[in-house]
Structures are given as structure tokens and as C-alpha cells.
Amino acid sequence: MRLMRIALILLAVILIFFGWTAYKEKGQKERINEIINKQQYVNEIEVKDLNKGKIIWTTKSEANQFKEQYPLSHIENLKKEERNQFAEKPDYTIIYKAKGKELYKVEILHLLDNNKVSKEMNSFIFHANDEEYIIYWAEQQKVFEQSSNTQKLLERIQKK
């Protein structure tokens, strides 16, 4: 009888774990689909400088020029040991808004001095004004590969 209770408890724990994992994956897929479906409606971009603690740039008229057309074309999880190779606090936070509502936001992290990244992570690194950065989606702990428009945006902001 005691062995049966232990087996039932163990089975319940396993089912809860798998249910939680499936729920988490479903939520992540729904969030990704929402961004993909609404990306075309992004009409405002805000950039916050976390060192200054304020919004340093915002646009409505130039949003199409600086939004990534396919921001989720290649995303990967950022492992804890890889995350440690970048600054703890982001240099900038970029908020993409569609019809006045925040669609998603990413953090721009710079690579710490003398750190080498793995070959897999190297495709996510981009350069702006002699610094190396990644686009980090903190909500899902993922990095984005496509960064050409974000790179242009950072170069423009850093010139000011």
C-alpha cells in the first residue's frame, strides 16, 4: 500500500512537470506567433538608455526604416554561461509598438572585454561603433540573429 502511494505521488509529479513544460512551450509559441503576425503593424520604436534612465529616442515616422522585418527568423536560447559573457545590465532597451501598444521589447547587451563567444553565438553578434552587441529578448531568454536595422539604429543614436 505504501509503495503504491509513492508510485502515485511520483506519477503525479512527473505529470505536473510535463504539463508545466507543455504550458510554457505553448505560451512561448503563442507569443512568437503574435509578434510575427503583428510585426507589419509596428509603427513606433522607443529606445531607452538604462544608464541615463530615460527614453533617448523615439520615432513614428521612421519606424519602418529601423524595425527588423523578420525579427524571429533565427532565435536561440541564451544559456547562463553565455549570458555571463555580456554586460549584466543592457546598454539600451528597444520597445517596438504596434498601434500604440507594446508588441515586444529587446535588450541590447554588449560583449564584455576579452570575451570570446562560441561559434553558435557568433552569428548573433553585431557591431556598432566599435562595440559588439547582441539582441536579447529577456522575456523568453533568447537572442535574435537578424540585426541589420537595429545596428543602423544604434549607430544613429550613438552619433548624437
Side-chain angles (χ1 to χ4, degrees):
M1 198 61 154
R2 180 182 162 115
L3 188 59
M4 186 141 168
R5 270 191 251 154
I6 292 172
L8 285 174
I9 291 172
L10 185 60
L11 180 62
V13 168
I14 291 170
L15 288 175
I16 289 171
F17 174 77
F18 283 118
W20 178 78
T21 303
Y23 174 77
K24 186 177 172 185
E25 283 183 24
K26 181 182 177 202
Q28 184 178 52
K29 286 179 183 178
E30 287 174 353
R31 188 73 177 105
I32 288 170
N33 283 334
E34 178 187 18
I35 292 171
I36 290 170
N37 292 334
K38 293 183 178 178
Q39 179 65 16
Q40 64 190 6
Y41 302 113
V42 169
N43 59 356
E44 186 177 354
I45 300 172
E46 289 181 356
V47 180
K48 290 183 180 180
D49 184 333
L50 297 180
N51 295 324
K52 296 178 182 176
K54 63 180 183 175
I55 296 172
I56 60 168
W57 190 83
T58 186
T59 185
K60 289 186 179 181
S61 62
E62 298 174 298
N64 280 335
Q65 180 181 342
F66 293 112
K67 71 179 181 182
E68 297 294 345
Q69 295 303 315
Y70 307 103
L72 304 174
S73 60
H74 185 200
I75 59 175
E76 290 290 332
N77 289 323
L78 187 63
K79 298 176 188 140
K80 189 173 185 174
E81 57 272 5
E82 291 169 334
R83 175 63 179 92
N84 291 336
Q85 295 176 328
F86 296 90
E88 186 176 325
K89 287 187 169 184
D91 287 4
Y92 305 98
T93 298
I94 302 176
I95 302 167
Y96 296 90
K97 295 182 176 184
K99 300 179 182 177
K101 293 183 180 178
E102 181 180 309
L103 180 59
Y104 68 101
K105 68 180 173 183
V106 294
E107 296 177 348
I108 306 301
L109 305 174
H110 76 269
L111 183 65
L112 295 173
D113 293 334
N114 301 320
N115 274 333
K116 300 290 182 201
V117 294
S118 65
K119 286 183 180 181
E120 297 84 28
M121 281 301 297
N122 203 35
S123 65
F124 294 94
I125 301 286
F126 68 95
H127 301 271
N129 297 325
D130 299 326
E131 291 283 339
E132 294 179 309
Y133 296 97
I134 59 166
I135 302 172
Y136 180 57
W137 187 18
E139 176 186 337
Q140 299 290 336
Q141 298 177 338
K142 295 188 180 298
V143 290
F144 293 179
E145 182 177 34
Q146 189 178 16
S147 57
S148 57
N149 290 343
T150 303
Q151 180 179 357
K152 289 178 199 173
L153 177 59
L154 283 183
E155 288 171 349
R156 180 175 180 168
I157 290 168
Q158 291 173 342
K159 286 180 185 177
K160 291 184 177 184

